[in-house]
Amino acid sequence: MKPKSRIVNIPVYQPGKPIEEVKRELGLEQVIKLASNENPYGSAPSVQQAIIDELSQLYLYPDGGAVELTAQLAAHIGVQPNQIVFGCGSDEVIALISRSFLEPGDETIMADQTFSVYKSNADIEGATVVEVPLQQGKHDLPAMLAAVTDHTKIIWVCNPNNPTGTIVTEDELVTFLDAVPSNVMVVLDEAYYEYVVAGDYPRSVELLERYNNIVILRTFSKIYGLAALRIGYGVGHADTIRLINQVREPFNTSRIAQAAARQAISDQAFVDDCRIKNREGMEYLIAAFDRLGLTHFPSETNFIMVDTGHPGMEIFQALLQRGIIIRSGHSKYPTWIRVTIGRPEQNEAFVQALEQTLQERQATV
């Protein structure tokens, strides 16, 4: 059967290598995965108990509207329930937005190095993708604004940005939103929102009262530690969320995911603890990079991107041989790698392996 012509050349998303595969391929007993920005501290014990309690209900379909979870989340972040849509991860919400609003002939704007799912979904819908280069790893909002035409439907702003970890500030974002035409949607992807410590980070939910054209994306996959359960959400104007809900499948989030997310919201002490530990790990890695003379982007996430000065894929392979999985292969940053902040012992193992790798590379020059 012949597929639609526009999907033939869409690349398949490449996740970080799984631990089990690396162990099997390389014959290693111990492998540390610092590639997929997962929370190394897992999920809260109370969340794990909520999952266990839900196991007796597996024969029942989930609540198609996630009514209880929606009400709890709405109260937590300060919006109305009809302003929230849930998805199988925020990835699905991205797909639902694209399905709802993009069609052939439309244009959509994004950074040239950002979360790849924006582009793949735009390609599926036949929209024209306009990529604006990052500046020092950060969204160039003036250039993105200059790229807006009468055909522009959606602008994607990943904040903090993946893979660079950088943010746009509230002042920068408000200036941008004031200038964007009101009929152009601005999607603010805040998957790493809970990790941010910068005081000038946008208070995006509050901005919903001023701008009807923004949609905020967040997830339970990162700091909440529920990546395996695939649950994320979008927040926006009620009319926009209603349209997105019209193309959502009725049972797109499971009973277990909903139960886990409800308990996760209730356990903010765990979230706060993970944020503190993550920042401590970030500071440890930054100090190590400074000692090694390596340039890095300022990050407000649970990962950091660093320039090794050598081809990133070679560093990736060398670290893999030492049982450390990271990410590389960023087209605009060929000598950079991205590493997730792990537990202290994992961070120490990564730094030791990286230093040994760089010393070996230097010896061959």
Side-chain angles (χ1 to χ4, degrees):
M1 181 178 293
K2 186 176 180 180
K4 292 181 179 179
S5 58
R6 63 174 179 260
I7 74 165
V8 172
N9 295 318
I10 296 175
V12 176
Y13 180 79
Q14 297 296 321
K17 289 181 74 69
I19 292 174
E20 295 78 11
E21 180 182 344
V22 174
K23 286 182 176 181
R24 184 172 59 252
E25 287 182 356
L26 301 179
L28 298 172
E29 294 185 2
Q30 297 294 325
V31 172
I32 298 172
K33 183 183 179 187
L34 301 175
S36 298
N37 306 335
E38 295 144 331
N39 186 345
Y41 301 100
S43 56
S46 61
V47 171
Q48 296 170 30
Q49 186 58 51
I51 292 171
I52 292 172
D53 293 343
E54 194 65 28
L55 293 179
S56 63
Q57 306 297 316
L58 296 186
Y59 68 98
L60 295 173
Y61 281 105
D63 174 4
V67 174
E68 186 177 349
L69 173 58
T70 300
Q72 184 177 352
L73 179 63
H76 176 65
I77 65 176
V79 299
Q80 296 300 311
N82 62 1
Q83 292 182 261
I84 297 174
V85 58
F86 280 96
C88 181
S90 56
D91 302 44
E92 187 192 18
V93 184
I94 293 168
L96 295 176
I97 292 171
S98 300
R99 186 186 304 171
S100 300
F101 298 101
L102 293 178
E103 55 189 356
D106 291 336
E107 294 177 356
T108 181
I109 299 170
M110 62 195 69
D112 65 341
Q113 292 288 285
T114 193
F115 191 37
S116 63
V117 175
Y118 313 144
K119 184 178 188 303
S120 61
N121 277 282
D123 288 341
I124 289 169
E125 302 304 330
T128 298
V129 175
V130 178
E131 295 181 292
V132 176
L134 296 173
Q135 293 296 320
Q136 297 182 327
K138 182 176 175 179
H139 281 75
D140 187 346
L141 294 185
M144 296 178 84
L145 183 63
V148 173
T149 72
D150 291 341
H151 299 289
T152 304
K153 270 288 190 62
I154 302 175
I155 303 173
W156 306 86
V157 179
C158 189
N159 195 35
N161 186 46
N162 183 7
T164 58
T166 57
I167 64 168
V168 296
T169 67
E170 174 144 357
D171 288 346
E172 291 168 337
L173 181 61
V174 167
T175 299
F176 175 71
L177 292 174
D178 283 342
V180 171
S182 59
N183 64 329
V184 175
M185 179 184 293
V186 178
V187 179
L188 305 174
D189 188 344
E190 298 182 346
Y192 299 92
Y193 163 79
E194 291 86 1
Y195 281 111
V196 176
V197 298
D200 55 357
Y201 184 69
R203 297 182 295 274
S204 56
V205 171
E206 295 178 17
L207 295 177
L208 287 169
E209 298 180 3
R210 295 172 54 184
Y211 306 98
N212 291 339
N213 60 330
I214 65 176
V215 175
I216 302 161
L217 304 180
R218 293 181 184 171
T219 184
F220 288 91
S221 294
K222 302 305 179 184
I223 206 166
Y224 288 107
L226 302 183
L229 297 184
R230 311 305 303 125
I231 185 162
Y233 59 96
V235 187
H237 190 274
D239 291 342
T240 302
I241 297 302
R242 177 181 57 81
L243 291 171
I244 297 171
N245 261 314
Q246 287 181 219
V247 299
R248 180 182 61 81
E249 297 296 331
F251 302 114
N252 63 327
T253 59
S254 70
R255 294 187 66 91
I256 290 179
Q258 291 181 31
R262 292 197 304 270
Q263 183 55 44
I265 294 169
S266 299
D267 201 339
Q268 289 299 308
F270 174 80
V271 173
D272 294 341
D273 185 56
C274 289
R275 183 187 304 108
I276 292 169
K277 290 177 178 176
N278 178 75
R279 187 49 49 175
E280 291 171 348
M282 178 78 71
E283 291 172 355
Y284 170 81
L285 290 187
I286 289 173
F289 296 153
D290 290 345
R291 176 173 57 81
L292 295 172
L294 304 180
T295 300
H296 58 84
F297 290 128
S299 177
E300 290 290 336
T301 63
N302 67 333
F303 61 84
I304 188 167
M305 197 168 173
V306 58
D307 187 358
T308 67
H310 302 273
M313 289 303 296
E314 292 183 8
I315 301 298
F316 168 83
Q317 290 295 338
L319 291 176
L320 198 64
Q321 296 294 324
R322 290 181 160 91
I324 309 289
I325 312 173
I326 50 91
R327 290 299 291 265
S328 63
H330 306 289
S331 60
K332 304 295 182 179
Y333 301 102
T335 60
W336 294 64
I337 61 173
R338 190 195 72 186
V339 57
T340 302
I341 310 302
R343 292 173 176 266
E345 65 274 14
Q346 295 174 324
N347 297 330
E348 292 169 8
F350 161 72
V351 169
Q352 182 180 20
L354 177 63
E355 188 166 9
Q356 291 172 349
T357 298
L358 294 177
Q359 288 173 349
E360 291 175 357
R361 292 296 182 278
Q362 190 63 34
T364 62
V365 174

